[in-house]
């Protein structure tokens, strides 16, 4: 018996004998536009990947998700908070404490300040859990400026701590420059 065979058999045994858990940080997707009572059927909804088959349900909320929707769930797949690039909302769909005014600049002023979704572009935000602290999450986001071309002059980091406000969270650091 050679070392490759022993390694293969060990991996095979481990794979079938150990419970393997996956992280469900992306099991709830928030999508759609702000909900308006005067327009039934118009608004936002959730994709819930915790359900088999996939469950898509209406979920009235004020936040628009035109170009960007960034939710994060816990390791069990329960929604923790989300953002559209303008602000951070908690799992109860309210503005998280100090979660306003992400991505400062002219594009924020032209979009978010006017009550619409941040138009910084697709894939312009990422939320990651802190490996050493289960209540800390990092939001990496970019600002954008419009000229002849739309450019992203700055990458920011915002920190959310869910140990505040009974688990609803608080933004503890906001718009910290990471890269120019």
């Amino acid at each position: 018996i050679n070392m490759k065979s022993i390694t293969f058999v060990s991996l095979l045994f481990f794979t079938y004998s150990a419970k393997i858990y996956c992280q469900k940080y992306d099991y709830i997707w928030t999508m759609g536009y702000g909900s308006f009572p005067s327009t039934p059927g118009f608004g936002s909804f959730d994709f819930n990947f915790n359900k088999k088959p996939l469950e898509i349900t209406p979920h009235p909320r004020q936040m628009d998700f035109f170009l960007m929707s960034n939710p994060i769930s816990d390791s069990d797949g329960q929604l923790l908070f989300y953002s559209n690039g303008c602000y951070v909302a908690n799992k109860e769909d309210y503005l998280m404490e100090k979660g306003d005014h992400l991505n400062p600049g002219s594009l924020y002023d032209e979009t978010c300040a006017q009550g619409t979704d941040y138009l910084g572009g697709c894939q312009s935000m990422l939320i990651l859990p802190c490996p050493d602290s289960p209540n800390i999450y990092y939001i990496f986001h970019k600002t954008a400026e419009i000229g002849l071309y739309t450019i992203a002059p700055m990458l920011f980091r915002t920190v959310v701590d869910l140990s505040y406000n009974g688990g609803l969270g608080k933004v503890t650091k906001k718009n910290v420059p990471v890269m120019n």
Side-chain angles (χ1 to χ4, degrees), residues 148-166:
L148 182 57
Y149 300 98
T150 301
I151 60 168
M154 186 71 67
L155 177 67
F156 294 109
R157 175 178 51 97
T158 292
V159 180
V160 170
D161 187 340
L162 292 177
S163 66
Y164 288 90
N165 299 314

Side-chain angles (χ1 to χ4, degrees), residues 8 30 39 42 80 93-94 103 109 115 137 139 148 153 158 167:
F8 176 75
T30 54
T39 314
F42 182 82
L80 296 173
D93 304 315
Y94 294 105
N103 295 309
D109 296 339
Y137 289 81
I139 304 174
L148 182 57
T158 292

Side-chain angles (χ1 to χ4, degrees), residues 80-82 87-91 94-100 159-162 165 167-171:
L80 296 173
F81 63 92
Y82 56 92
Y87 66 96
V88 181
N90 63 35
K91 65 184 175 185
Y94 294 105
L95 174 67
M96 184 177 285
E97 183 180 348
K98 297 189 177 182
D100 61 334
V159 180
V160 170
D161 187 340
L162 292 177
N165 299 314
L168 295 178
K170 172 182 170 180
V171 171

Side-chain angles (χ1 to χ4, degrees), residues 84-153:
N84 66 353
C86 293
Y87 66 96
V88 181
N90 63 35
K91 65 184 175 185
E92 294 183 352
D93 304 315
Y94 294 105
L95 174 67
M96 184 177 285
E97 183 180 348
K98 297 189 177 182
D100 61 334
H101 205 263
L102 293 182
N103 295 309
S106 63
L107 192 58
Y108 176 93
D109 296 339
E110 293 176 24
T111 58
C112 299
Q114 304 301 317
T116 61
D117 187 20
Y118 182 67
L119 301 177
C122 298
Q123 299 182 1
S124 58
M125 181 179 283
L126 174 67
I127 303 173
L128 297 172
C130 176
D132 299 334
S133 300
N135 289 317
I136 305 293
Y137 289 81
Y138 298 108
I139 304 174
F140 294 96
H141 50 99
K142 65 177 184 172
T143 189
E145 299 295 329
I146 298 177
L148 182 57
Y149 300 98
T150 301
I151 60 168

